[in-house]
């Protein structure tokens, strides 16, 4: 029986990510008797555009290490907004930029490559968060970034 659940049935996990989640979830459960919840997995360009849109609205693009790619997407956002475009049309413009980047081999997030996933942590106590971080370090093969908007652990396969 899996020691993790998906926030919803639309979350897609690559086989490599699912194997890693099972390792992490089993070890975490052994320590805490608590299952983890996966809140995001592999994303399409359109799904990534929504995430970037939300980060722009929160004034928090610093999360993206590829500043050039993030700024290209932000430029599409700025242009669409300056033209009075709707949110849907703004997202279409941002998606088009992300699709071009993918065609050029540029991936703003490993979510786009099936090598990242997010773990809910707003239901974890400080001790449980520490246990999860310890498990991730012990098992290895992942990097962990604790994000605050919204709160979660962003995990990437190494």
């Amino acid at each position: 029986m899996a020691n993790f659940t998906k926030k919803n049935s639309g979350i897609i996990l690559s086989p490599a990510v699912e194997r890693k989640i099972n390792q992490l979830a089993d070890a975490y459960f052994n320590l805490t008797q608590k299952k983890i919840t996966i809140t995001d997995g592999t994303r399409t360009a359109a799904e990534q555009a929504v995430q970037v849109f939300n980060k722009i609205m929160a004034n928090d693009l610093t999360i993206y290490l590829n500043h050039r790619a993030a700024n290209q997407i932000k430029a599409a956002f700025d242009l669409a907004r300056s033209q009075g475009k709707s949110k849907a049309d703004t997202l279409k413009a941002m998606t088009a930029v992300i699709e071009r980047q993918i065609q050029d081999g540029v991936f703003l997030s490993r979510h786009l490559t099936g090598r990242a996933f997010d773990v809910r942590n707003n239901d974890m106590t400080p001790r449980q968060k520490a246990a999860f971080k310890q498990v991730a370090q012990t098992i290895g093969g992942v990097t962990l970034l604790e994000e605050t908007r919204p709160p979660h652990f962003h995990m990437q396969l190494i």
Side-chain angles (χ1 to χ4, degrees):
M1 185 164 159
N3 286 314
F4 76 91
T5 59
K6 294 180 187 177
K7 178 179 152 187
N8 63 59
S9 61
I11 295 174
I12 297 168
L13 304 174
S14 69
V17 160
E18 190 153 357
R19 280 191 300 275
K20 186 55 69 176
I21 290 170
N22 273 308
Q23 290 177 324
L24 293 166
D26 289 348
Y28 179 73
F29 186 84
N30 287 340
L31 274 179
T32 65
Q33 300 304 298
K34 184 173 168 44
K35 294 183 179 190
I36 61 172
T37 301
I38 305 305
T39 58
D40 205 357
T42 303
R43 294 181 190 150
T44 64
E47 290 166 336
Q48 186 65 47
V50 170
Q51 296 300 319
V52 176
F53 184 96
N54 293 337
K55 293 288 188 189
I56 291 169
M57 298 307 288
N59 292 316
D60 188 23
L61 280 182
T62 58
I63 199 76
Y64 298 112
L65 299 179
N66 187 333
H67 300 296
R68 184 171 180 266
N71 287 334
Q72 290 171 347
I73 301 163
K74 172 86 166 53
F77 170 93
D78 290 340
L79 179 60
R81 296 307 256 198
S82 73
Q83 295 172 340
K85 303 264 175 150
S86 67
K87 179 178 179 179
D89 286 340
T90 300
L91 286 168
K92 283 181 190 171
M94 295 168 68
T95 298
V97 172
I98 295 168
E99 287 171 342
R100 279 195 305 276
Q101 291 174 342
I102 291 169
Q103 288 172 354
D104 292 341
V106 175
F107 298 91
L108 181 68
S109 169
R110 289 207 191 148
H111 283 284
L112 291 165
T113 66
R115 298 195 50 82
F117 59 98
D118 294 335
V119 177
R120 175 180 292 151
N121 68 8
N122 62 356
D123 60 348
M124 292 180 182
T125 66
R127 183 171 284 163
Q128 290 167 335
K129 285 183 181 182
F132 187 80
K133 290 176 184 177
Q134 175 191 342
V135 162
Q137 186 174 21
T138 301
I139 288 176
V142 291
T143 60
L144 180 152
L145 175 65
E146 187 169 359
E147 294 190 44
T148 57
R149 293 189 221 165
H152 66 279
F153 290 125
H154 170 78
M155 311 289 296
Q156 294 186 160
L157 300 185
I158 297 174

